[in-house]
Amino acid sequence: MLLRLQSERRQVEQCRELLQRCHPSLILEHHREQLRQARRLLRALSPSHLLERGFSLVRDRQGQLLRSVAAVNSDQEIVVQLADGELDARVVRIRPAPLDCRHGQGEQRSRRQDRSRRPPTPRRA
């Protein structure tokens, strides 16, 4: 009898815990917190937030984002997007970064783009 009573008490306690976890206000608060986190992440990753921090986006006249000096020619017209507007500009001079200063994903992406433009290199046997 005592074992049965303890077992039933455990079941009641488990049901109580389950009900508390499933309470609509707790579920709603959990979803609100997830939404707040998603908003913070979107804000941090937002291009407009980067522009507000002093960065710019540079595009060619067709609207393609320029990621490398290799994608630009001298005297080419470009558009520079800042936090409060855009500038029309013309490339006067191109100065690639020294090899020892190139790092990160941009460099790897540029290499991949360069490779995709060139015919494949024959492999040695």
PDB file of all heavy atoms in Angstrom, residues 11-37:
ATOM      1  N   GLN A  11       3.687  10.068  -9.766  1.00  0.00           N
ATOM      2  CA  GLN A  11       2.939  10.326 -11.003  1.00  0.00           C
ATOM      3  C   GLN A  11       2.254  11.682 -10.952  1.00  0.00           C
ATOM      4  O   GLN A  11       2.251  12.435 -11.931  1.00  0.00           O
ATOM      5  CB  GLN A  11       1.901   9.229 -11.242  1.00  0.00           C
ATOM      6  CG  GLN A  11       2.483   7.951 -11.792  1.00  0.00           C
ATOM      7  CD  GLN A  11       1.400   6.913 -12.057  1.00  0.00           C
ATOM      8  OE1 GLN A  11       0.388   6.864 -11.356  1.00  0.00           O
ATOM      9  NE2 GLN A  11       1.623   6.101 -13.070  1.00  0.00           N
ATOM     10  N   VAL A  12       1.669  12.013  -9.812  1.00  0.00           N
ATOM     11  CA  VAL A  12       1.007  13.309  -9.663  1.00  0.00           C
ATOM     12  C   VAL A  12       2.030  14.441  -9.815  1.00  0.00           C
ATOM     13  O   VAL A  12       1.782  15.443 -10.483  1.00  0.00           O
ATOM     14  CB  VAL A  12       0.271  13.395  -8.300  1.00  0.00           C
ATOM     15  CG1 VAL A  12      -0.152  14.827  -7.987  1.00  0.00           C
ATOM     16  CG2 VAL A  12      -0.935  12.472  -8.283  1.00  0.00           C
ATOM     17  N   GLU A  13       3.190  14.270  -9.188  1.00  0.00           N
ATOM     18  CA  GLU A  13       4.244  15.292  -9.294  1.00  0.00           C
ATOM     19  C   GLU A  13       4.728  15.435 -10.739  1.00  0.00           C
ATOM     20  O   GLU A  13       4.945  16.549 -11.228  1.00  0.00           O
ATOM     21  CB  GLU A  13       5.408  14.961  -8.364  1.00  0.00           C
ATOM     22  CG  GLU A  13       6.459  16.038  -8.294  1.00  0.00           C
ATOM     23  CD  GLU A  13       5.919  17.384  -7.828  1.00  0.00           C
ATOM     24  OE1 GLU A  13       4.975  17.427  -7.003  1.00  0.00           O
ATOM     25  OE2 GLU A  13       6.428  18.409  -8.322  1.00  0.00           O
ATOM     26  N   GLN A  14       4.894  14.335 -11.440  1.00  0.00           N
ATOM     27  CA  GLN A  14       5.309  14.391 -12.850  1.00  0.00           C
ATOM     28  C   GLN A  14       4.251  15.098 -13.688  1.00  0.00           C
ATOM     29  O   GLN A  14       4.575  15.911 -14.557  1.00  0.00           O
ATOM     30  CB  GLN A  14       5.572  12.985 -13.383  1.00  0.00           C
ATOM     31  CG  GLN A  14       6.834  12.358 -12.842  1.00  0.00           C
ATOM     32  CD  GLN A  14       6.975  10.894 -13.252  1.00  0.00           C
ATOM     33  OE1 GLN A  14       6.027  10.266 -13.740  1.00  0.00           O
ATOM     34  NE2 GLN A  14       8.163  10.334 -13.030  1.00  0.00           N
ATOM     35  N   CYS A  15       2.992  14.800 -13.420  1.00  0.00           N
ATOM     36  CA  CYS A  15       1.905  15.464 -14.160  1.00  0.00           C
ATOM     37  C   CYS A  15       1.891  16.959 -13.853  1.00  0.00           C
ATOM     38  O   CYS A  15       1.674  17.789 -14.741  1.00  0.00           O
ATOM     39  CB  CYS A  15       0.561  14.841 -13.808  1.00  0.00           C
ATOM     40  SG  CYS A  15       0.322  13.204 -14.504  1.00  0.00           S
ATOM     41  N   ARG A  16       2.131  17.326 -12.597  1.00  0.00           N
ATOM     42  CA  ARG A  16       2.163  18.732 -12.215  1.00  0.00           C
ATOM     43  C   ARG A  16       3.296  19.457 -12.948  1.00  0.00           C
ATOM     44  O   ARG A  16       3.121  20.557 -13.472  1.00  0.00           O
ATOM     45  CB  ARG A  16       2.350  18.856 -10.713  1.00  0.00           C
ATOM     46  CG  ARG A  16       2.344  20.319 -10.242  1.00  0.00           C
ATOM     47  CD  ARG A  16       2.476  20.438  -8.732  1.00  0.00           C
ATOM     48  NE  ARG A  16       1.251  19.923  -8.141  1.00  0.00           N
ATOM     49  CZ  ARG A  16       1.192  19.185  -7.017  1.00  0.00           C
ATOM     50  NH1 ARG A  16       2.301  18.877  -6.367  1.00  0.00           N
ATOM     51  NH2 ARG A  16       0.042  18.768  -6.544  1.00  0.00           N
ATOM     52  N   GLU A  17       4.481  18.837 -13.003  1.00  0.00           N
ATOM     53  CA  GLU A  17       5.614  19.433 -13.709  1.00  0.00           C
ATOM     54  C   GLU A  17       5.313  19.586 -15.192  1.00  0.00           C
ATOM     55  O   GLU A  17       5.643  20.599 -15.803  1.00  0.00           O
ATOM     56  CB  GLU A  17       6.862  18.591 -13.501  1.00  0.00           C
ATOM     57  CG  GLU A  17       7.441  18.675 -12.108  1.00  0.00           C
ATOM     58  CD  GLU A  17       8.612  17.726 -11.901  1.00  0.00           C
ATOM     59  OE1 GLU A  17       9.098  17.127 -12.889  1.00  0.00           O
ATOM     60  OE2 GLU A  17       9.042  17.576 -10.746  1.00  0.00           O
ATOM     61  N   LEU A  18       4.706  18.561 -15.765  1.00  0.00           N
ATOM     62  CA  LEU A  18       4.341  18.623 -17.182  1.00  0.00           C
ATOM     63  C   LEU A  18       3.358  19.753 -17.446  1.00  0.00           C
ATOM     64  O   LEU A  18       3.502  20.515 -18.411  1.00  0.00           O
ATOM     65  CB  LEU A  18       3.757  17.286 -17.642  1.00  0.00           C
ATOM     66  CG  LEU A  18       3.349  17.179 -19.097  1.00  0.00           C
ATOM     67  CD1 LEU A  18       4.565  17.372 -20.000  1.00  0.00           C
ATOM     68  CD2 LEU A  18       2.695  15.838 -19.376  1.00  0.00           C
ATOM     69  N   LEU A  19       2.366  19.893 -16.572  1.00  0.00           N
ATOM     70  CA  LEU A  19       1.392  20.977 -16.728  1.00  0.00           C
ATOM     71  C   LEU A  19       2.057  22.344 -16.608  1.00  0.00           C
ATOM     72  O   LEU A  19       1.726  23.272 -17.345  1.00  0.00           O
ATOM     73  CB  LEU A  19       0.273  20.852 -15.684  1.00  0.00           C
ATOM     74  CG  LEU A  19      -0.795  19.816 -15.984  1.00  0.00           C
ATOM     75  CD1 LEU A  19      -1.723  19.658 -14.789  1.00  0.00           C
ATOM     76  CD2 LEU A  19      -1.583  20.195 -17.220  1.00  0.00           C
ATOM     77  N   GLN A  20       3.003  22.473 -15.691  1.00  0.00           N
ATOM     78  CA  GLN A  20       3.696  23.757 -15.540  1.00  0.00           C
ATOM     79  C   GLN A  20       4.504  24.095 -16.785  1.00  0.00           C
ATOM     80  O   GLN A  20       4.535  25.234 -17.228  1.00  0.00           O
ATOM     81  CB  GLN A  20       4.601  23.726 -14.306  1.00  0.00           C
ATOM     82  CG  GLN A  20       3.832  23.815 -13.010  1.00  0.00           C
ATOM     83  CD  GLN A  20       4.735  23.706 -11.798  1.00  0.00           C
ATOM     84  OE1 GLN A  20       5.853  23.204 -11.886  1.00  0.00           O
ATOM     85  NE2 GLN A  20       4.240  24.161 -10.665  1.00  0.00           N
ATOM     86  N   ARG A  21       5.181  23.089 -17.352  1.00  0.00           N
ATOM     87  CA  ARG A  21       5.970  23.339 -18.567  1.00  0.00           C
ATOM     88  C   ARG A  21       5.083  23.676 -19.748  1.00  0.00           C
ATOM     89  O   ARG A  21       5.484  24.392 -20.649  1.00  0.00           O
ATOM     90  CB  ARG A  21       6.823  22.114 -18.904  1.00  0.00           C
ATOM     91  CG  ARG A  21       8.070  22.012 -18.077  1.00  0.00           C
ATOM     92  CD  ARG A  21       8.928  20.916 -18.607  1.00  0.00           C
ATOM     93  NE  ARG A  21       8.140  19.675 -18.617  1.00  0.00           N
ATOM     94  CZ  ARG A  21       8.591  18.475 -18.297  1.00  0.00           C
ATOM     95  NH1 ARG A  21       9.853  18.310 -17.996  1.00  0.00           N
ATOM     96  NH2 ARG A  21       7.822  17.425 -18.313  1.00  0.00           N
ATOM     97  N   CYS A  22       3.892  23.114 -19.766  1.00  0.00           N
ATOM     98  CA  CYS A  22       2.989  23.313 -20.906  1.00  0.00           C
ATOM     99  C   CYS A  22       2.023  24.473 -20.694  1.00  0.00           C
ATOM    100  O   CYS A  22       1.145  24.700 -21.519  1.00  0.00           O
ATOM    101  CB  CYS A  22       2.197  22.035 -21.172  1.00  0.00           C
ATOM    102  SG  CYS A  22       3.218  20.656 -21.684  1.00  0.00           S
ATOM    103  N   HIS A  23       2.187  25.193 -19.612  1.00  0.00           N
ATOM    104  CA  HIS A  23       1.292  26.305 -19.342  1.00  0.00           C
ATOM    105  C   HIS A  23       1.425  27.331 -20.461  1.00  0.00           C
ATOM    106  O   HIS A  23       2.532  27.688 -20.867  1.00  0.00           O
ATOM    107  CB  HIS A  23       1.637  26.939 -17.987  1.00  0.00           C
ATOM    108  CG  HIS A  23       0.581  27.857 -17.498  1.00  0.00           C
ATOM    109  ND1 HIS A  23       0.497  29.160 -17.917  1.00  0.00           N
ATOM    110  CD2 HIS A  23      -0.455  27.651 -16.638  1.00  0.00           C
ATOM    111  CE1 HIS A  23      -0.530  29.732 -17.336  1.00  0.00           C
ATOM    112  NE2 HIS A  23      -1.126  28.846 -16.553  1.00  0.00           N
ATOM    113  N   PRO A  24       0.319  27.810 -20.992  1.00  0.00           N
ATOM    114  CA  PRO A  24       0.369  28.735 -22.144  1.00  0.00           C
ATOM    115  C   PRO A  24       1.242  29.960 -21.912  1.00  0.00           C
ATOM    116  O   PRO A  24       1.955  30.392 -22.814  1.00  0.00           O
ATOM    117  CB  PRO A  24      -1.095  29.139 -22.341  1.00  0.00           C
ATOM    118  CG  PRO A  24      -1.878  28.022 -21.766  1.00  0.00           C
ATOM    119  CD  PRO A  24      -1.061  27.472 -20.633  1.00  0.00           C
ATOM    120  N   SER A  25       1.233  30.518 -20.713  1.00  0.00           N
ATOM    121  CA  SER A  25       2.046  31.721 -20.492  1.00  0.00           C
ATOM    122  C   SER A  25       3.537  31.392 -20.552  1.00  0.00           C
ATOM    123  O   SER A  25       4.332  32.196 -21.039  1.00  0.00           O
ATOM    124  CB  SER A  25       1.697  32.389 -19.159  1.00  0.00           C
ATOM    125  OG  SER A  25       2.049  31.550 -18.073  1.00  0.00           O
ATOM    126  N   LEU A  26       3.935  30.210 -20.090  1.00  0.00           N
ATOM    127  CA  LEU A  26       5.339  29.811 -20.176  1.00  0.00           C
ATOM    128  C   LEU A  26       5.746  29.544 -21.616  1.00  0.00           C
ATOM    129  O   LEU A  26       6.842  29.924 -22.043  1.00  0.00           O
ATOM    130  CB  LEU A  26       5.599  28.578 -19.314  1.00  0.00           C
ATOM    131  CG  LEU A  26       5.485  28.782 -17.803  1.00  0.00           C
ATOM    132  CD1 LEU A  26       5.661  27.450 -17.080  1.00  0.00           C
ATOM    133  CD2 LEU A  26       6.513  29.781 -17.325  1.00  0.00           C
ATOM    134  N   ILE A  27       4.884  28.902 -22.351  1.00  0.00           N
ATOM    135  CA  ILE A  27       5.165  28.633 -23.764  1.00  0.00           C
ATOM    136  C   ILE A  27       5.278  29.954 -24.529  1.00  0.00           C
ATOM    137  O   ILE A  27       6.201  30.157 -25.315  1.00  0.00           O
ATOM    138  CB  ILE A  27       4.073  27.732 -24.382  1.00  0.00           C
ATOM    139  CG1 ILE A  27       4.137  26.342 -23.754  1.00  0.00           C
ATOM    140  CG2 ILE A  27       4.221  27.651 -25.893  1.00  0.00           C
ATOM    141  CD1 ILE A  27       2.987  25.438 -24.136  1.00  0.00           C
ATOM    142  N   LEU A  28       4.363  30.857 -24.239  1.00  0.00           N
ATOM    143  CA  LEU A  28       4.385  32.165 -24.893  1.00  0.00           C
ATOM    144  C   LEU A  28       5.673  32.920 -24.558  1.00  0.00           C
ATOM    145  O   LEU A  28       6.310  33.499 -25.442  1.00  0.00           O
ATOM    146  CB  LEU A  28       3.158  32.980 -24.481  1.00  0.00           C
ATOM    147  CG  LEU A  28       2.986  34.333 -25.144  1.00  0.00           C
ATOM    148  CD1 LEU A  28       2.878  34.190 -26.651  1.00  0.00           C
ATOM    149  CD2 LEU A  28       1.761  35.030 -24.581  1.00  0.00           C
ATOM    150  N   GLU A  29       6.072  32.909 -23.302  1.00  0.00           N
ATOM    151  CA  GLU A  29       7.305  33.602 -22.911  1.00  0.00           C
ATOM    152  C   GLU A  29       8.525  32.979 -23.586  1.00  0.00           C
ATOM    153  O   GLU A  29       9.438  33.683 -24.007  1.00  0.00           O
ATOM    154  CB  GLU A  29       7.472  33.588 -21.385  1.00  0.00           C
ATOM    155  CG  GLU A  29       8.673  34.363 -20.906  1.00  0.00           C
ATOM    156  CD  GLU A  29       8.712  35.806 -21.401  1.00  0.00           C
ATOM    157  OE1 GLU A  29       7.652  36.460 -21.490  1.00  0.00           O
ATOM    158  OE2 GLU A  29       9.820  36.278 -21.726  1.00  0.00           O
ATOM    159  N   HIS A  30       8.534  31.661 -23.698  1.00  0.00           N
ATOM    160  CA  HIS A  30       9.633  30.979 -24.384  1.00  0.00           C
ATOM    161  C   HIS A  30       9.716  31.426 -25.849  1.00  0.00           C
ATOM    162  O   HIS A  30      10.797  31.737 -26.352  1.00  0.00           O
ATOM    163  CB  HIS A  30       9.439  29.458 -24.295  1.00  0.00           C
ATOM    164  CG  HIS A  30      10.439  28.678 -25.059  1.00  0.00           C
ATOM    165  ND1 HIS A  30      11.753  28.544 -24.652  1.00  0.00           N
ATOM    166  CD2 HIS A  30      10.335  27.989 -26.228  1.00  0.00           C
ATOM    167  CE1 HIS A  30      12.404  27.808 -25.540  1.00  0.00           C
ATOM    168  NE2 HIS A  30      11.571  27.460 -26.499  1.00  0.00           N
ATOM    169  N   HIS A  31       8.580  31.498 -26.509  1.00  0.00           N
ATOM    170  CA  HIS A  31       8.562  31.930 -27.913  1.00  0.00           C
ATOM    171  C   HIS A  31       8.951  33.404 -28.044  1.00  0.00           C
ATOM    172  O   HIS A  31       9.625  33.790 -29.006  1.00  0.00           O
ATOM    173  CB  HIS A  31       7.197  31.670 -28.541  1.00  0.00           C
ATOM    174  CG  HIS A  31       6.936  30.224 -28.825  1.00  0.00           C
ATOM    175  ND1 HIS A  31       7.645  29.508 -29.759  1.00  0.00           N
ATOM    176  CD2 HIS A  31       6.065  29.346 -28.275  1.00  0.00           C
ATOM    177  CE1 HIS A  31       7.217  28.261 -29.784  1.00  0.00           C
ATOM    178  NE2 HIS A  31       6.270  28.133 -28.883  1.00  0.00           N
ATOM    179  N   ARG A  32       8.553  34.208 -27.077  1.00  0.00           N
ATOM    180  CA  ARG A  32       8.944  35.618 -27.108  1.00  0.00           C
ATOM    181  C   ARG A  32      10.458  35.761 -26.993  1.00  0.00           C
ATOM    182  O   ARG A  32      11.072  36.571 -27.671  1.00  0.00           O
ATOM    183  CB  ARG A  32       8.263  36.387 -25.976  1.00  0.00           C
ATOM    184  CG  ARG A  32       6.827  36.707 -26.251  1.00  0.00           C
ATOM    185  CD  ARG A  32       6.231  37.503 -25.116  1.00  0.00           C
ATOM    186  NE  ARG A  32       4.849  37.841 -25.416  1.00  0.00           N
ATOM    187  CZ  ARG A  32       3.902  37.999 -24.519  1.00  0.00           C
ATOM    188  NH1 ARG A  32       4.177  37.869 -23.229  1.00  0.00           N
ATOM    189  NH2 ARG A  32       2.685  38.294 -24.884  1.00  0.00           N
ATOM    190  N   GLU A  33      11.060  34.974 -26.120  1.00  0.00           N
ATOM    191  CA  GLU A  33      12.510  35.030 -25.954  1.00  0.00           C
ATOM    192  C   GLU A  33      13.216  34.571 -27.236  1.00  0.00           C
ATOM    193  O   GLU A  33      14.209  35.173 -27.655  1.00  0.00           O
ATOM    194  CB  GLU A  33      12.965  34.178 -24.768  1.00  0.00           C
ATOM    195  CG  GLU A  33      14.456  34.201 -24.526  1.00  0.00           C
ATOM    196  CD  GLU A  33      15.040  35.596 -24.332  1.00  0.00           C
ATOM    197  OE1 GLU A  33      14.354  36.498 -23.812  1.00  0.00           O
ATOM    198  OE2 GLU A  33      16.215  35.792 -24.715  1.00  0.00           O
ATOM    199  N   GLN A  34      12.701  33.531 -27.868  1.00  0.00           N
ATOM    200  CA  GLN A  34      13.272  33.083 -29.145  1.00  0.00           C
ATOM    201  C   GLN A  34      13.166  34.189 -30.190  1.00  0.00           C
ATOM    202  O   GLN A  34      14.105  34.410 -30.968  1.00  0.00           O
ATOM    203  CB  GLN A  34      12.571  31.820 -29.637  1.00  0.00           C
ATOM    204  CG  GLN A  34      12.956  30.577 -28.888  1.00  0.00           C
ATOM    205  CD  GLN A  34      12.260  29.347 -29.449  1.00  0.00           C
ATOM    206  OE1 GLN A  34      11.105  29.396 -29.869  1.00  0.00           O
ATOM    207  NE2 GLN A  34      12.970  28.228 -29.455  1.00  0.00           N
ATOM    208  N   LEU A  35      12.051  34.877 -30.216  1.00  0.00           N
ATOM    209  CA  LEU A  35      11.850  35.980 -31.155  1.00  0.00           C
ATOM    210  C   LEU A  35      12.824  37.121 -30.871  1.00  0.00           C
ATOM    211  O   LEU A  35      13.418  37.692 -31.785  1.00  0.00           O
ATOM    212  CB  LEU A  35      10.409  36.476 -31.090  1.00  0.00           C
ATOM    213  CG  LEU A  35      10.014  37.578 -32.062  1.00  0.00           C
ATOM    214  CD1 LEU A  35      10.232  37.147 -33.506  1.00  0.00           C
ATOM    215  CD2 LEU A  35       8.562  37.979 -31.840  1.00  0.00           C
ATOM    216  N   ARG A  36      13.031  37.451 -29.599  1.00  0.00           N
ATOM    217  CA  ARG A  36      13.997  38.508 -29.242  1.00  0.00           C
ATOM    218  C   ARG A  36      15.399  38.126 -29.704  1.00  0.00           C
ATOM    219  O   ARG A  36      16.139  38.956 -30.240  1.00  0.00           O
ATOM    220  CB  ARG A  36      13.986  38.755 -27.730  1.00  0.00           C
ATOM    221  CG  ARG A  36      12.812  39.607 -27.257  1.00  0.00           C
ATOM    222  CD  ARG A  36      12.988  40.028 -25.809  1.00  0.00           C
ATOM    223  NE  ARG A  36      12.833  38.930 -24.870  1.00  0.00           N
ATOM    224  CZ  ARG A  36      11.679  38.561 -24.299  1.00  0.00           C
ATOM    225  NH1 ARG A  36      10.571  39.208 -24.584  1.00  0.00           N
ATOM    226  NH2 ARG A  36      11.645  37.559 -23.453  1.00  0.00           N
ATOM    227  N   GLN A  37      15.768  36.875 -29.509  1.00  0.00           N
ATOM    228  CA  GLN A  37      17.095  36.424 -29.947  1.00  0.00           C
ATOM    229  C   GLN A  37      17.224  36.496 -31.458  1.00  0.00           C
ATOM    230  O   GLN A  37      18.260  36.914 -31.984  1.00  0.00           O
ATOM    231  CB  GLN A  37      17.353  34.994 -29.460  1.00  0.00           C
ATOM    232  CG  GLN A  37      17.597  34.895 -27.978  1.00  0.00           C
ATOM    233  CD  GLN A  37      17.770  33.453 -27.520  1.00  0.00           C
ATOM    234  OE1 GLN A  37      17.692  32.517 -28.314  1.00  0.00           O
ATOM    235  NE2 GLN A  37      18.000  33.277 -26.237  1.00  0.00           N
TER     236      GLN A  37
END
